[in-house]
């Protein structure tokens, strides 16, 4: 096991109806909040109004910044930061999916530290500015997916270059997150599915790429998340009002990024690293891009590190097959079938991705996520050619 | 799933050699530390000396309080608190197993708030004083067991009444815990085994008693801990210097009490609740008392809630048996066999426990852990008679 620090200084408030505690929980943080939310959904379904009321009951003033769209852009975040500064907001509330929650984090930095958010983003071309402070952040997820409610990271897209980049800081951990599964019941099946795929990939990425030989607890925790999402995602997609399934997905989203499932492993996030340039470039949903990549990446794993697929086959799909090669192949087949069953099997071409961008996608993913090396991930090591091979398979 | 808050505000520093970071990590906490440790082991194996040196390198003064024995007593903790106050220590370092770490927590309270530690302990006879502050706490486990390094709880025994009671507060969370598996390599096999049994029971207790119908992630996380301890405990008992096994146990100890494996469940800790009066009364090792109770408690579960044993049989012991009753029985048999194999199978009589104390043990466990009801745990509901039945079976 590798050495690591695990520090999750967020108060996680979980449960159906827990949104009612919002005002009381945040009233010691400040008297004026910037609510960062999406253009449509949280307004349409009444959640935004409810949040404003809960704050106002505790004499907390709200300023609404509702310009967030999926794959949130740096210029919008800069604008939000400026508003928070001018309006003298004491703290920021992210209300929505990963886009709103990540934007809230970026806005909290810009509002407190000034400058532009892209200065702080490690784009592989410059040494980013260090985040030394941020306004207090509160997150209220309305989609089970990114886990932004339980980590110190955010993903932001450059509106000009289309680069979509993950960055992190201790100061980006929410002070408080209120994870109320009942806020997710209006999420439509397709978006629910995309969120579930994101959760799975948060643990599947390190599961398939870890090269540390002795991390049995971590592997089992990853398997626990995969199995639980695979059970509950179809239920929530079929009946959005299935609160138990929604609750299980909401808690899986948190746990997946908590650090426990992967800290101590020597692993990468290749599917995430390849997907970010895709959704940055084509402005498609992250979970959709990931689901196109899963079967293609599994084929690469089969060539280079089939042991992982064998373990996955035995423990996730309970495949009883003594021929190890067949077992690994059957695992890929089952994964594909599951994606098909829930209507999440996708090809990149169906998402509008063009073949002539493969080179740029591969180069960007290595530049942005390769940590200065000319490949992604340790095992399989994915150089530009390998990444293009995955993209072709996923096409 | 039940509603809950999960807040683990401890910086967990994990890894072989991580003790070297102690001085640098704590130097912002204060200039003078009270080191709370056991009478013998941490002095004999040189760890105490090393800790003092690491602190001194950062100009942190050390005061040593090395009077802690297993099942630490309230009067010793009061004494430690007085020393911390008189010596004007800025913070407290618990160095050792659960006894030293829990004592450090108690001392941190007494030093800051004054009074006697027993005032703060909910003994079922009085309304305890509320803990409103404590000196900053740093924990350095040298035994993988209690998980005191990753929670806000402590167990203290009353030297006069022999009551052994768990209490908790937000203020008892360590600021920092340094979990260095290399500090555990000198722990002898027997003590290693007792620690492993404690870890297993931290998840097995809620696993067997949970009545919430829909907690699939939690159950899998509990199974992950049980499986990983069952794999690694024999290795560490056989070869104390097996650092990988030691590391896995150390991380299991942390994860077991992190909240993730059981929050959201409606479960009890009956084995812990019954064992505390036993080790309080007879001053025996907690893990030894637990291992005597496990097979006996499983028999009670078989009578009242066999489903749990069936799931355990399938997922932990991989038993292939379609007859559900046989499956549950076989699970108990396998658990016993495993305890025997690692030399941890015990009967209460071998620990010096007398039959004529069963009534008192049962009454104390209900008074202390029954939350005002006349039984322990929800399902199986354990009233006095049921507890005595378990004790007789374990005798």
């Amino acid at each position: 096991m590798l050495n690591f620090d695990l520090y999750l200084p967020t108060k996680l408030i979980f449960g159906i109806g827990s949104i009612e505690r919002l005002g009381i929980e945040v009233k010691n943080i400040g008297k004026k909040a910037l609510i960062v939310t999406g253009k449509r959904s949280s307004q349409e379904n009444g959640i935004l109004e409810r949040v404003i009321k809960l704050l106002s009951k505790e004499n907390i003033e709200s300023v609404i910044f509702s310009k967030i769209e999926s794959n949130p852009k740096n210029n919008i975040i800069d604008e939000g930061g400026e508003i928070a500064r001018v309006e003298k907001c004491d703290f920021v509330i992210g209300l929505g999916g990963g886009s709103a929650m990540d934007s809230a984090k970026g806005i909290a930095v810009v509002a407190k530290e000034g400058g532009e958010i892209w200065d702080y983003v490690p784009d592989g071309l410059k040494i980013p500015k260090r985040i030394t402070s941020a306004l207090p952040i509160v997150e209220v997820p309305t989609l089970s997916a990114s886990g932004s409610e339980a980590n110190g990271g955010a993903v932001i897209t450059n509106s000009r270059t289309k680069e979509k980049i993950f960055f992190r800081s201790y100061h980006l951990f929410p002070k408080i997150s209120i994870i109320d599964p009942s806020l997710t019941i209006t999420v439509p099946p397709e978006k629910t599915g995309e969120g579930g795929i994101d959760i799975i990939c948060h643990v599947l990425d390190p599961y398939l790429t870890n090269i540390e030989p002795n991390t049995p607890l971590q592997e089992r925790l990853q398997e626990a998340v995969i199995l639980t999402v695979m059970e509950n995602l179809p239920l929530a997609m079929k009946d959005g009002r299935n609160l138990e399934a929604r609750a299980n997905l909401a808690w899986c989203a948190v746990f997946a990024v908590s650090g426990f499932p992967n800290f101590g492993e020597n692993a990468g996030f290749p599917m995430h690293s390849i997907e970010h340039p895709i959704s940055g470039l084509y402005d498609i949903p992250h979970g959709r891009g990931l689901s196109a990549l899963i079967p293609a990446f599994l084929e690469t794993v089969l060539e280079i590190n089939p042991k992982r697929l064998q373990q996955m086959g035995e423990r996730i799909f309970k495949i009883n097959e003594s021929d190890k090669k067949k077992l690994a192949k059957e695992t890929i087949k089952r994964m594909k079938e599951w994606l098909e069953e829930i209507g999440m099997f996708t090809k990149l071409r169906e998402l509008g991705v063009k073949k002539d961008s493969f080179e740029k996608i591969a180069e960007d993913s290595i530049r942005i996520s390769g940590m200065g090396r000319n490949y992604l991930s340790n095992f399989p090591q994915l150089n530009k050619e390998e990444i293009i091979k995955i993209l072709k398979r996923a096409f």
Side-chain angles (χ1 to χ4, degrees), chain A residues 22-36 51 54-56 58-65 80-81 83-85 87-94 104-105 107-109 111-112 134-140 174-176 178:
Chain A
L22 177 67
I24 288 161
E25 289 291 335
V26 305
K27 71 178 176 183
N28 290 328
I29 297 180
K31 300 304 290 173
K32 192 170 181 180
L34 183 76
I35 302 177
V36 177
V51 161
L54 286 163
L55 294 172
S56 138
E58 301 297 330
N59 300 313
I60 299 163
E61 212 181 317
S62 296
V63 179
I64 316 300
F65 185 69
I83 290 172
R85 211 181 308 132
E87 292 275 358
K88 297 194 168 59
C89 293
D90 302 311
F91 66 110
V92 180
I93 299 177
K105 290 177 176 179
I107 287 169
V109 172
K112 187 75 184 290
L135 288 185
I137 297 158
V138 173
E139 302 286 17
V140 181
K175 293 273 167 290
I176 294 172
I178 298 193

Side-chain angles (χ1 to χ4, degrees), chain A residues 345-362:
Chain A
F345 185 80
T346 315
K347 287 289 184 178
L348 288 178
R349 63 156 69 85
E350 298 164 18
L351 301 172
V353 177
K354 304 289 177 212
K355 259 190 168 167
D356 58 14
S357 61
F358 284 0
E359 192 132 336
K360 180 176 165 50
I361 291 167

Side-chain angles (χ1 to χ4, degrees), chain A residues 101-273:
Chain A
M101 292 192 286
D102 286 357
S103 296
K105 290 177 176 179
I107 287 169
V109 172
V110 173
K112 187 75 184 290
E113 300 228 320
E116 297 179 352
I117 193 61
W118 206 255
D119 299 340
Y120 301 91
V121 174
D123 62 7
L125 296 171
K126 63 171 191 302
I127 294 168
K129 269 172 82 171
R130 204 181 142 81
I131 297 171
T132 57
S133 67
L135 288 185
I137 297 158
V138 173
E139 302 286 17
V140 181
T142 61
L143 174 70
S144 302
S146 77
S148 190
E149 62 273 28
N151 73 9
V155 183
I156 288 176
T157 299
N158 188 304
S159 61
R160 197 175 47 77
T161 65
K162 311 292 181 203
E163 291 162 304
K164 179 176 173 178
I165 298 179
F166 176 82
F167 62 110
R168 67 166 82 216
S169 158
Y170 166 71
H171 300 283
L172 296 184
F173 276 99
K175 293 273 167 290
I176 294 172
S177 287
I178 298 193
I179 302 127
D180 184 339
S182 70
L183 302 184
T184 68
I185 59 172
T186 56
V187 179
E190 169 122 356
K191 254 203 134 26
T192 301
E194 290 161 14
I197 298 297
D198 194 20
I199 301 171
I200 286 179
C201 286
H202 285 150
V203 295
L204 187 59
D205 248 337
Y207 185 74
L208 293 172
T209 59
N210 175 38
I211 55 170
E212 270 295 303
N214 210 313
T215 52
L217 181 65
Q218 286 87 337
E219 289 161 34
R220 290 193 174 102
L221 302 184
Q222 290 161 348
E223 288 156 357
V225 172
I226 295 169
L227 282 162
T228 307
V229 173
M230 288 182 81
E231 267 171 22
N232 286 274
L233 191 59
L235 301 176
M237 289 174 78
K238 202 177 158 202
D239 172 15
R241 305 192 69 84
N242 182 333
L243 267 172
E244 288 291 351
R246 292 289 194 185
N248 288 327
L249 292 173
W251 195 231
C252 281
V254 166
F255 181 66
V257 303
S258 68
F260 283 103
N262 62 308
F263 285 14
E265 292 191 337
N266 187 346
F269 282 82
M271 289 188 284
H272 272 79
S273 302

